Amino acid sequence: MGTASRQPAKGPERTPDGRYIVVDGRRWRTSDPGLPEARRTELVGELMDARRAVAAARRADDEDAEREARSRVHAAKVALGERGAPWWEQPRS
């Protein structure tokens, strides 16, 4: 068999200003592109861990654990620039 050329997966549609991705017609704020890659990777890992903790807490019907996990999700998203004050309005140092 021949080898098929593989092209990188195309990411989600972005708004012209690059501040949002568009999924099923809904805009979602992108992560701050000014974050160092190592920090972004760390934060995405924390976000995924927190989301798994939300799911586990829901399966266990543990409201306190779910509240804590959702707080972790929120904190990671704020640190990524996806929530809170828009990253494009923040002063750069």
Side-chain angles (χ1 to χ4, degrees), residues 3 45 59 90:
T3 58
R59 283 191 303 272
Q90 302 303 307

Side-chain angles (χ1 to χ4, degrees), residues 9-31:
K10 182 180 175 188
E13 176 187 350
R14 290 184 176 261
T15 58
D17 61 12
R19 295 175 178 170
Y20 300 90
I21 61 169
V22 180
V23 178
D24 293 331
R26 186 167 177 186
R27 291 185 324 161
W28 298 89
R29 194 186 313 173
T30 62
S31 297

Side-chain angles (χ1 to χ4, degrees), residues 63-84:
E63 292 179 7
D64 292 334
E66 183 179 351
R67 190 170 14 278
E68 173 60 31
R70 287 188 183 280
S71 177
R72 289 176 50 207
V73 167
H74 179 72
K77 290 182 85 53
V78 168
L80 283 162
E82 296 176 8
R83 291 187 183 159

Side-chain angles (χ1 to χ4, degrees), residues 6-12:
R6 295 190 64 169
Q7 296 182 1
K10 182 180 175 188

Side-chain angles (χ1 to χ4, degrees), residues 33-57:
L35 284 173
E37 187 59 27
R39 178 69 175 142
R40 189 191 77 73
T41 299
E42 176 186 348
L43 290 168
V44 168
E46 168 57 19
L47 176 60
M48 295 300 103
D49 287 346
R51 285 179 169 166
R52 284 188 289 274
V54 168

